[in-house]
Amino acid sequence: MTGGERVRAALIAGSPMTSAGTKVRQDAADEEDEYPFIIFRRTEVERQRGVGGELLATRETFQVECWGENRAASDTLEAEAVSALEAVALYPDGNEPDGLDPEVRVRAAVFTVDVWTTPEIA
């Protein structure tokens, strides 16, 4: 399972569930999505290699945006998303600057989470 698949699974089917339900999108929201929803995107990849060049582990960093109609809604969704990720041992790092869409005046709470994966041994 890729890092993105792990993040998405935790946010959609995790326990506890978030108020975004299945509106968890990678890279961009769908045009018909209504608030609240979550967008996540991979922002960094680090590959750790052994002495012989073999891949030992990969760290992917994801930025998670929790969009709500107002500050309270985005903060609530953020708390739910953090809890869902922590429930599967994906521990979010610090927050990024909050987001704002000035056209429709909605807000996002933004944080990052690292996902470590190791290659499967055949």
Side-chain angles (χ1 to χ4, degrees), residues 1-12 14-16 40 58-62 64 78-94 111-118:
M1 184 179 277
T2 69
E5 290 168 338
R6 290 179 63 196
V7 169
R8 183 172 166 72
L11 294 172
I12 288 180
S15 178
F40 70 96
T58 303
R59 178 184 56 85
E60 298 172 276
T61 301
F62 292 90
V64 180
E78 173 199 16
E80 294 169 352
V82 167
S83 293
L85 290 166
E86 288 176 340
V88 295
L90 295 176
Y91 301 104
D93 295 323
F111 64 90
T112 61
V113 62
D114 289 332
V115 180
W116 286 90
T117 54
T118 55

Side-chain angles (χ1 to χ4, degrees), residues 6-74:
R6 290 179 63 196
V7 169
R8 183 172 166 72
L11 294 172
I12 288 180
S15 178
M17 287 267 307
T18 70
S19 56
T22 60
K23 294 179 290 183
V24 176
R25 311 291 186 226
Q26 192 161 2
D27 299 324
D30 289 347
E31 197 170 303
E32 67 274 1
D33 284 342
E34 293 183 19
Y35 300 97
F37 57 79
I38 297 173
I39 300 171
F40 70 96
R41 65 182 54 84
R42 190 170 68 172
T43 59
E44 186 178 353
V45 177
E46 174 189 338
R47 293 171 186 85
Q48 294 188 345
R49 300 197 177 271
V51 188
E54 70 277 8
L55 182 62
L56 301 175
T58 303
R59 178 184 56 85
E60 298 172 276
T61 301
F62 292 90
Q63 183 180 62
V64 180
E65 300 176 356
C66 300
W67 287 91
E69 291 184 352
N70 54 50
R71 172 62 47 218
S74 65

